[in-house]
Each structure stands twice: as structure tokens, then as C-alpha cells.
């Protein structure tokens, strides 16, 4: 249904209570969703879990390249480090929009995603519609 590539734009520590860090990461990416060129901006937080898994939750905005349409998303996922500095998350996304144009298909759409970031802040993601 869609994919994009981008960069991490910021990271910060939200909490270290109990010795478990909660990190916030923001990114900006560009790509295509059902052929519509769009910018995807989002922020998620993540925290390690026992056994090496990382839990994450986030939210963001998908905007058409012409800036005329927008959709929002929220999501949750589970990640793992695949090599030093490289992490891969898989999970679900929930889209919403009031758009009646080319992004209208995203309203109430549920997607599954795969998101990766590397040690220098490059990101890539793919989203499939869950029917």
C-alpha cells in the first residue's frame, strides 16, 4: 500500500525510572501511498523489554506532496536490534482523515508495518493494508 524513506530528525531520553530508558525518536520521510506522493512525519517512544524486544508506540501525519491533504496515524510495534545501531520494528497502524480526495482511502484503514532505522539515522518503512 505504501513505502517511504527518510531520516531521524531528533532523539531524546524521556525517562530512566527503574533503570529502564524510555527514548523518543522523531523522523521525516517521503514516499508513495497507493501512488500518492507524500511526506510522513512521526514521533514514537520505545522502551526495552525482557528478552531483547523493544516496545514502541507512536503517532504521526501523512501529508500529500502538494500539501492539500493530510491523514493522521497512531501505531504500536515490537522491535529488535538486527545489528549494532540498526533496529527493525513490526506492528500495526491506525489511520484517520477527513480528506475526500486522493488520501481519502486512508480513513479508518488499519495497516501492518515494517520500519527500520540504521546507525546513521536513515529510515525506511513499508505499510500493507490489513483487510
Amino acid at each position: 500500500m505504501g513505502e517511504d524513506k527518510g531520516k531521524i530528525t531528533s532523539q531524546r531520553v524521556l525517562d530512566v525510572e527503574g533503570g529502564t530508558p524510555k527514548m523518543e525518536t522523531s523522523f521525516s520521510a517521503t514516499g508513495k501511498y497507493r501512488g500518492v506522493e507524500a511526506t510522513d512525519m512521526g514521533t514514537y517512544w520505545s522502551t526495552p523489554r525482557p528478552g531483547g524486544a523493544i516496545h514502541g508506540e507512536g503517532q504521526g501525519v501523512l501529508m500529500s506532496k502538494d500539501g492539500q491533504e493530510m491523514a493522521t496515524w497512531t501505531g504500536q510495534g515490537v522491535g529488535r536490534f538486527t545489528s549494532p545501531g540498526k533496529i527493525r520494528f513490526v506492528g500495526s497502524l491506525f489511520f484517520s482523515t477527513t480528506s475526500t480526495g486522493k488520501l481519502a482511502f486512508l480513513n479508518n484503514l488499519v495497516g501492518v508495518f515494517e520500519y527500520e532505522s540504521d546507525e546513521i539515522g536513515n529510515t525506511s518503512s513499508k505499510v500493507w493494508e490489513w483487510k
Side-chain angles (χ1 to χ4, degrees):
M1 191 242 351
E3 58 185 280
D4 59 42
K5 294 188 181 301
K7 290 291 268 183
I8 290 174
T9 57
S10 69
Q11 288 186 296
R12 69 184 184 129
V13 177
L14 294 176
D15 197 0
V16 293
E17 189 174 325
T20 303
K22 183 176 185 179
M23 298 288 298
E24 180 183 81
T25 302
S26 293
F27 66 90
S28 181
T30 57
K32 289 187 178 182
Y33 291 79
R34 283 200 191 159
V36 179
E37 291 186 48
T39 299
D40 183 15
M41 295 173 287
T43 300
Y44 64 90
W45 62 260
S46 58
T47 188
R49 300 286 186 180
I54 301 162
H55 174 78
E57 294 186 27
Q59 57 192 2
V61 174
L62 197 65
M63 184 175 294
S64 62
K65 185 178 179 181
D66 63 12
Q68 299 299 309
E69 297 186 49
M70 157 178 358
T72 60
W73 57 264
T74 60
Q76 289 191 352
V78 175
R80 293 198 183 276
F81 283 99
T82 57
S83 63
K86 189 172 183 180
I87 192 167
R88 178 177 178 265
F89 279 90
V90 295
S92 58
L93 293 172
F94 303 90
F95 292 90
S96 179
T97 185
T98 58
S99 171
T100 58
K102 52 193 164 195
L103 292 181
F105 73 92
L106 287 169
N107 196 40
N108 297 315
L109 185 138
V110 177
V112 291
F113 74 89
E114 180 178 275
Y115 167 92
E116 290 185 328
S117 65
D118 67 18
E119 65 279 357
I120 59 171
N122 296 310
T123 68
S124 65
S125 65
K126 293 182 181 179
V127 180
W128 296 270
E129 182 178 358
W130 189 0
K131 295 183 177 184

